[in-house]
Amino acid sequence: SKACLKKNFVSPQWLRDTKERKYPLWRLDILFSKMKYNSIHHVENGGWHFTNIKSPDDIFKKLKKLTSPENILSYEDEIKPYETDALTAYKQKPLCVVLPEKTEEISNILKFCYEENIKVIPRGAGTGLSGGSLPLQDAILLSLTKFNKILEIDFGNKCVVAQPGVTNLSITHSVQHKGFYYAPDPSSQLACSIGGNVAENSGGVHSLKYGTTTNNILGVEIVLMDGTICRLGGKTLDQEGYDMLGLICGSEGLLGIITEVTVKILKKPQTVRAALIGFPSHEDGGNCVSEIIANGIVPAGMEIMDKALIIATDNFSKAGYPRNAELLLIVELDGTASEVDELISKVSEISKKNNSLNIKISKSEEERLSFWVGRKAAFPACGAMAPDYYCMDGSIPRGKLAEALK
């Protein structure tokens, strides 16, 4: 019960046990009078959350003073689209949804919520699978979709400053005319937001060589939960002091709400080619992956698909994958033309050594992209097969990959 009180949360079980405790059920008014909170909201998980606010209507009225009234969504049909992220097995409607348009509005809203002990859940595009943007019934959901502008493109310092609602792929589109791109490329890059990428430390097929989001951001503007606006990092590669960016990246909005992101952009490599390699067994494919890395080759991207996924993605995207393979390996290599030719030759040799059934090397940019079409469509492909499926990531030592796949 002490733990519950420390968290401002009293469970029904505690209430049922009060006859044997200090405060009998009929004298709970004494307990409440000793606390700074003066009202109780019943919540779905079977307890009560204490807050200074007397009713949801009071919260809505106050919020409408902190941002435009049309930015407050409170009716059931308005908030229903925000009840889940991409993992739709878990659903919960929030108390309301707020769509602020300025950093100052976010600051004022968070200050108000902090003072009144109201929970806040930030949300980007809602494409995540980890529940980072899943609402709570007694919480305000703060959506960053209106923060959707690219503020600055600095080719001299090789960086882009963007608001958190800008999509991942939009950053690459904004700089590709100068031969640059943004490296992290989650499967949902067409829809996912850069703010959500920072909150979840998103990766992608090119993380093997270029790292995840934490390796590709230079700075953020963040509003802390008490409304304080602060900046971490900037346009330079390294900042003195503690690695606060590393702390923020992957924190899922628990430490603050990101309102601006500075990411580094890279020059497109001279040559990029991909190899599509089929294997007769999982062990052969796993051994090939381990041997490629052991030989000092670091592909730009390397992905594995088993037979079930090969067929599912090929049916969905018509990628032309070899259906006779038990396991499919996609290996992408980049660099100078001569360097890539040499690496392709080495990968082909290693693949044959590990009993590969077939090897197909991309001859054009269009063909290279077609190799990845199926892999990037893996999630919707599985969704087309069944209404539900369980998706999770695993970490396996490379030397044990063949054993794990078996």
Side-chain angles (χ1 to χ4, degrees):
S1 62
K2 290 181 179 178
C4 289
L5 289 174
K6 285 180 181 179
K7 294 181 179 179
N8 303 326
F9 191 87
V10 180
S11 69
Q13 182 63 46
W14 187 89
L15 293 176
R16 285 194 291 271
D17 293 342
T18 47
K19 289 183 180 180
E20 301 175 6
R21 299 180 184 273
K22 182 176 180 181
Y23 300 104
L25 184 60
W26 55 274
R27 295 309 309 274
L28 283 176
D29 58 317
I30 296 177
L31 171 63
F32 297 150
S33 68
K34 291 178 179 291
M35 302 181 71
K36 65 178 181 178
Y37 307 101
N38 56 26
S39 70
I40 313 169
H41 292 300
H42 182 67
V43 293
E44 190 174 13
N45 58 6
W48 286 265
H49 174 69
F50 294 93
T51 172
N52 286 326
I53 302 301
K54 295 180 179 179
S55 72
D57 287 338
D58 291 335
I59 297 176
F60 303 154
K61 288 178 183 177
K62 180 63 177 178
L63 289 173
K64 288 176 181 178
K65 296 178 181 179
L66 302 177
T67 185
S68 300
E70 59 266 23
N71 292 339
I72 312 296
L73 308 179
S74 58
Y75 293 106
E76 186 169 348
D77 58 340
E78 292 178 324
I79 65 177
K80 187 171 178 59
Y82 297 89
E83 68 181 0
T84 184
D85 57 10
L87 190 61
T88 55
Y90 300 93
K91 296 181 180 181
Q92 175 62 64
K93 293 186 183 70
L95 182 66
C96 69
V97 178
V98 183
L99 298 96
E101 300 178 58
K102 300 177 182 177
T103 300
E104 291 72 21
E105 291 179 356
I106 293 178
S107 176
N108 291 332
I109 291 168
L110 288 185
K111 184 179 180 181
F112 161 67
C113 292
Y114 178 77
E115 292 172 348
E116 302 296 346
N117 198 39
I118 302 170
K119 301 170 187 174
V120 179
I121 308 292
R123 178 186 174 98
T127 60
L129 295 165
S130 67
S133 62
L134 192 67
L136 298 171
Q137 188 183 33
D138 58 341
I140 292 171
L141 188 73
L142 205 64
S143 174
L144 282 300
T145 53
K146 290 193 174 184
F147 281 70
N148 57 6
K149 296 179 178 62
I150 292 178
L151 303 175
E152 183 185 359
I153 300 174
D154 187 344
F155 289 111
N157 288 305
K158 297 183 180 179
C159 64
V160 170
V161 182
Q163 291 183 318
V166 172
T167 61
N168 176 290
L169 195 58
S170 293
I171 295 177
T172 292
H173 286 167
S174 69
V175 298
Q176 63 184 4
H177 65 286
K178 292 280 191 177
F180 286 86
Y181 75 109
Y182 177 60
D185 55 343
S187 295
S188 59
Q189 67 178 147
L190 185 65
C192 65
S193 65
I194 191 63
N197 288 176
V198 175
E200 297 287 338
N201 190 21
S202 304
V205 298
H206 292 98
S207 297
L208 178 61
K209 185 173 183 177
Y210 296 105
T212 57
T213 303
T214 191
N215 306 110
N216 290 274
I217 60 169
L218 300 173
V220 297
E221 179 186 75
I222 185 170
V223 184
L224 304 181
M225 287 307 175
D226 63 352
T228 302
I229 302 172
C230 64
R231 286 185 174 273
L232 303 173
K235 291 185 178 182
T236 56
L237 288 175
D238 293 303
Q239 298 289 321
E240 61 182 13
Y242 294 110
D243 181 19
M244 301 305 293
L245 277 178
L247 179 66
I248 295 298
C249 193
S251 63
E252 297 192 358
L254 292 174
L255 303 178
I257 295 180
I258 296 164
T259 53
E260 185 183 295
V261 184
T262 302
V263 300
K264 67 179 181 181
I265 51 176
L266 304 175
K267 195 72 175 176
K268 286 185 177 180
Q270 184 185 102
T271 303
V272 185
R273 296 172 71 188
L276 205 62
I277 311 167
F279 293 92
S281 70
H282 292 176
E283 295 94 321
D284 289 331
N287 288 329
C288 183
V289 170
S290 299
E291 195 168 336
I292 288 172
I293 300 299
N295 275 269
I297 300 171
V298 183
M302 186 159 55
E303 296 281 321
I304 275 180
M305 293 189 287
D306 63 9
K307 192 175 187 68
L309 196 57
I310 291 169
I311 294 172
T313 54
D314 201 45
N315 287 339
F316 185 84
S317 62
K318 305 297 186 289
Y321 291 155
R323 295 187 173 222
N324 64 322
E326 288 296 322
L327 184 137
L328 183 65
L329 180 64
I330 307 175
V331 184
E332 184 170 287
L333 301 153
D334 63 10
T336 62
S338 59
E339 180 185 6
V340 171
D341 287 341
E342 183 180 352
L343 292 174
I344 287 285
S345 177
K346 288 182 179 180
V347 168
S348 299
E349 184 180 335
I350 294 170
S351 301
K352 291 173 183 176
K353 180 182 173 182
N354 285 281
N355 308 315
S356 61
L357 296 173
N358 41 58
I359 304 174
K360 186 177 181 181
I361 309 298
S362 64
K363 295 180 175 62
S364 65
E365 179 65 7
E366 292 72 22
E367 189 173 23
R368 180 187 71 84
L369 294 174
S370 72
F371 287 1
W372 289 110
V373 166
R375 171 61 187 88
K376 286 185 173 287
F379 191 79
C382 290
M385 294 170 62
D388 301 295
Y389 76 96
Y390 195 74
C391 176
M392 68 178 189
D393 290 330
S395 297
I396 303 166
R398 293 189 187 105
K400 298 290 185 181
L401 186 56
E403 182 181 341
L405 290 171
K406 183 179 179 180

